[in-house]
Amino acid sequence: GAGVSQSPRYKVAKRGQDVALRCDPISGHVSLFWYQQALGQGPEFLTYFQNEAQLDKSGLPSDRFFAERPEGSVSTLKIQRTQQEDSAVYLCASSLAVGGLAFFGQGTRLTVV
Amino acid sequence: AQKITQTQPGMFVQEKEAVTLDCTYDTSDPSYGLFWYKQPSSGEMIFLIYQGSYDQQNATEGRYSLNFQKARKSANLVISASQLGDSAMYFCAMSPDPNFGNEKLTFGTGTRLTIIP
């Protein structure tokens, strides 16, 4: 595709459910980032991949959050046993090279009820 | 640790006027990069402009310019001749990489800009 694609665009989960959010980066992009944007706030860094290697996961808020990029392209952010404070927009970004400009997707809005 | 402060939660500006969005930053890193992004209601973050800490001249991109004052640790965005399509959230962000790197951006809380016809 022409840009970073995220699915689903909207997700409503009952508290305690597991969710999986998908990110399709721009084809050939090496770097991939996940950010969490709470309502009324700026995005906050969650994790960073270079190809399939997860080089930085310092922003993941708890061990309920898990991200993977097994073949160095599509990435999945998984949240186990969702809680209300997990409600946010989850943004994915990719860049062609390390240190290159990152392009963002439109995000997945997660609402935990 | 890096910190970005945007003190204007919202601004209203008349169409065709210039507007300045404030951004101050704090970091202990000797070098860094500063970014401005636009986030329309559709949700994606659109890159506007970048300034490396080593750059002597202020960055410009079309109607956008970045007023970089290193001693004051400020990186204000100036939009000239505002248009209705400029209405959006604007975020200032910082990276530890001064060479246009995008790893681990730290964002401010944003400013909602509304252009009035």
Side-chain angles (χ1 to χ4, degrees):
Chain A
V4 178
S5 178
Q6 293 188 244
S7 60
R9 287 295 316 278
Y10 304 93
K11 175 71 179 177
V12 178
K14 290 185 178 179
R15 193 173 56 180
Q17 275 187 332
D18 297 349
V19 298
L21 311 181
R22 178 186 169 105
C23 172
D24 280 88
I26 296 172
S27 178
H29 276 200
V30 168
S31 297
L32 186 144
F33 309 84
W34 283 98
Y35 288 84
Q36 179 190 58
Q37 186 176 17
L39 187 64
Q41 301 296 315
E44 291 192 356
F45 171 83
L46 293 177
T47 188
Y48 161 59
F49 289 86
Q50 189 179 121
N51 295 306
E52 68 278 5
Q54 189 175 20
L55 298 186
D56 189 340
K57 54 181 181 179
S58 62
L60 296 176
S62 77
D63 58 7
R64 296 186 297 104
F65 286 71
F66 172 76
E68 60 183 5
R69 194 186 184 197
E71 297 179 358
S73 55
V74 171
S75 177
T76 304
L77 177 66
K78 297 179 179 178
I79 309 173
Q80 297 177 324
R81 304 181 303 281
T82 53
Q83 300 177 4
Q84 280 196 315
E85 60 261 32
D86 300 335
S87 295
V89 175
Y90 291 85
L91 292 166
C92 177
S94 70
S95 66
L96 180 60
V98 174
L101 178 63
F103 294 86
F104 283 80
Q106 291 185 303
T108 294
R109 181 177 296 279
L110 172 66
T111 303
V112 181
V113 298
Chain B
Q2 301 184 325
K3 185 178 180 181
I4 296 285
T5 301
Q6 294 180 256
T7 57
Q8 305 154 309
M11 289 189 69
F12 291 84
V13 173
Q14 206 75 36
E15 189 181 6
K16 298 181 184 177
E17 288 186 350
V19 56
T20 298
L21 304 182
D22 294 341
C23 172
T24 58
Y25 62 90
D26 193 18
T27 182
S28 55
D29 295 325
S31 57
Y32 45 88
L34 294 157
F35 300 77
W36 276 92
Y37 284 87
K38 173 183 178 181
Q39 188 176 43
S41 56
S42 54
E44 76 273 28
M45 302 290 282
I46 301 169
F47 167 77
L48 296 178
I49 196 167
Y50 166 83
Q51 179 90 38
S53 59
Y54 292 136
D55 295 338
Q56 298 292 327
Q57 290 191 320
N58 287 342
T60 59
E61 290 283 351
R63 294 186 300 113
Y64 305 108
S65 60
L66 198 153
N67 184 359
F68 181 47
Q69 298 189 40
K70 196 170 184 178
R72 294 186 176 185
K73 293 190 174 180
S74 73
N76 298 341
L77 176 70
V78 180
I79 306 174
S80 63
S82 57
Q83 303 171 356
L84 295 178
D86 294 334
S87 293
M89 283 291 291
Y90 288 79
F91 290 95
C92 181
M94 165 178 266
S95 162
D97 185 338
N99 298 309
F100 206 51
N102 259 226
E103 286 81 21
K104 205 168 183 176
L105 287 170
T106 299
F107 287 84
T109 53
T111 296
R112 181 171 296 282
L113 176 64
T114 303
I115 306 300
I116 305 166

